[in-house]
Amino acid sequence: MNIKDYFKSTATEVEAVLDEILTAPQPRVANLYAAMRYSVFAGGKRLRPALFCATLSAFGVDSRPLLPFAAGLEMIHTYSLIHDDLPAMDNDDYRRGKLTCHKVFGEAEAILAGDGLLTHAFAAMMSVKSAVAADNLVKAVNDVALMAGIFGMVAGQSADIEVEGQPVDAETLEYICRCKTGALFAAAVLGAADLSGANAKQVEVLQEYSYLLGLAFQIVDDVLDIKGDAVILGKTTGSDAKNGKTTFATLLGCDAAMEYAAETAKKAISLLEIFDEKAELLRAMPIYFIERNR
Ligand code: GRG
């Protein structure tokens, strides 16, 4: 299966599970469910679930019984987007081509929708307990907590806020990208590796692979903010320049930034030499990520 079709099919599978998880609203909190569903089904690319499934396939593990774990990853990702769009953070009106959650449901409900998705994601991940060894599930959930939280994405967001309005050097920028973007990729990859019973060397390699993938992805994101098509992207372009934000594109220029993204993608692929041909999808991801237009 080519990588584009793979993304489509994993997206369809995980969306069916998300639909189940976020159904049966308790009548008194119908608005909370509506807000969570609004953002979850606003049309994301479902990259993290695809990365999760591709990693399972590198270990020869069937992803179907583990899809609720993948859904949990997408719920964490969506919470981060809802909170990132709030007036206290990026104050964005559009996301995934639609009005942001707080624009439709108000700030308080948007905060709760994010909180609800984050906490319920852990229940979703734990729900695969009958399909895996308990020790592996504990490791996987622990890694997701570390990578999504104060050793990963939340740390990256905080570091990003700290440098707002200041000139940023490449080293700091790289740290922020690794945490803000790479860590949630690492949550997906390590979650799958742990569930598959990966050894310490494999986990170490996959963590660095995920960070590099995140870095390459983020560099392209920065270039798309300058050169991308707002309609295809589903969000306003030019926001980094408007906010005076240093990115790899502003630091290096778009062409050099794309070269750096390509180099980073190559490095990520080369790390996978310890895996056999079952890691083909993981090898295809970095290229797909840098060739994307949305
Ligand atoms: C609020 C704790 C907290 C974290 C926010 C996600 C995030 C961290 C900030 C959003 C802004 C940003 C540029 C984040 C880097 C990660 C990124 C590129 C997210 C967008 O991911 P896609 O392209 O989105 O996978 P879709 O909509 O396709 O799911």
Side-chain angles (χ1 to χ4, degrees):
M1 189 187 296
N2 79 35
I3 189 86
K4 258 194 185 155
D5 293 338
Y6 184 74
F7 270 102
K8 255 194 218 153
S9 77
T10 51
T12 306
E13 284 175 345
V14 83
E15 279 164 13
V17 176
L18 282 163
D19 187 37
E20 248 173 65
I21 293 173
L22 297 171
T23 308
Q26 305 151 49
R28 287 181 198 275
V29 290
N31 212 31
L32 174 65
Y33 275 82
M36 292 190 296
R37 290 186 67 94
Y38 175 82
S39 289
V40 166
F41 294 108
K45 296 184 288 295
R46 317 302 188 200
L47 300 181
R48 291 136 196 95
L51 252 180
F52 172 81
C53 294
T55 308
L56 291 174
S57 125
F59 286 93
V61 173
D62 180 10
S63 59
R64 277 166 300 183
L66 302 175
L67 285 171
F69 200 104
L73 293 163
E74 187 66 16
M75 289 159 76
I76 294 176
H77 169 58
T78 306
Y79 118 77
S80 79
L81 299 179
I82 295 174
H83 282 192
D84 185 65
D85 289 335
L86 288 168
M89 294 216 190
D90 267 10
N91 195 18
D92 279 317
D93 292 352
Y94 287 93
R95 165 76 64 182
R96 294 171 164 175
K98 294 173 83 174
L99 281 172
T100 44
C101 192
H102 67 272
K103 282 276 157 193
V104 177
F105 293 91
E107 268 182 61
E109 201 67 71
I111 291 170
L112 289 171
D115 293 342
L117 286 169
L118 172 60
T119 38
H120 201 59
F122 284 88
M125 290 185 279
M126 290 305 293
S127 75
V128 304
K129 56 186 175 296
S130 60
V132 287
D135 278 5
N136 290 349
L137 182 57
V138 168
K139 262 193 221 158
V141 172
N142 188 54
D143 271 339
V144 172
L146 294 177
M147 292 296 105
I150 60 175
F151 287 92
M153 182 177 68
V154 172
Q157 181 77 348
S158 175
D160 197 18
I161 289 170
E162 288 294 317
V163 299
E164 220 168 60
Q166 298 169 30
V168 176
D169 58 43
E171 201 186 323
T172 307
L173 199 55
E174 190 152 329
Y175 168 79
I176 292 171
C177 289
R178 276 177 172 246
C179 289
K180 217 171 115 170
T181 313
L184 209 52
F185 289 169
V189 171
L190 298 189
D194 293 334
L195 292 176
S196 307
N199 64 37
K201 178 70 191 162
Q202 290 168 325
V203 169
E204 185 191 323
V205 161
L206 288 173
Q207 181 154 18
E208 184 58 14
Y209 162 87
S210 310
Y211 282 144
L212 292 175
L213 190 61
L215 181 58
F217 181 87
Q218 189 59 56
I219 298 167
V220 173
D221 221 58
D222 297 343
V223 171
L224 287 174
D225 190 64
I226 297 174
K227 288 188 151 177
D229 181 323
V231 176
I232 297 173
L233 288 168
K235 61 180 184 186
T236 332
T237 50
S239 64
D240 293 336
K242 199 179 86 194
N243 299 328
K245 219 171 164 178
T246 309
T247 68
F248 280 102
T250 63
L251 212 58
L252 306 173
C254 288
D255 291 346
M258 282 309 291
E259 272 172 38
Y260 187 39
E263 242 174 63
T264 307
K266 249 197 220 157
K267 227 194 258 175
I269 296 167
S270 71
L271 286 175
L272 298 175
E273 64 187 11
I274 64 161
F275 290 92
D276 64 16
E277 71 289 346
K278 294 196 294 305
E280 269 332 290
L281 288 163
L282 285 184
R283 290 190 180 93
M285 293 274 172
I287 304 298
Y288 179 75
F289 278 21
I290 58 172
E291 287 178 352
R292 72 202 174 91
N293 62 358
R294 80 179 189 109

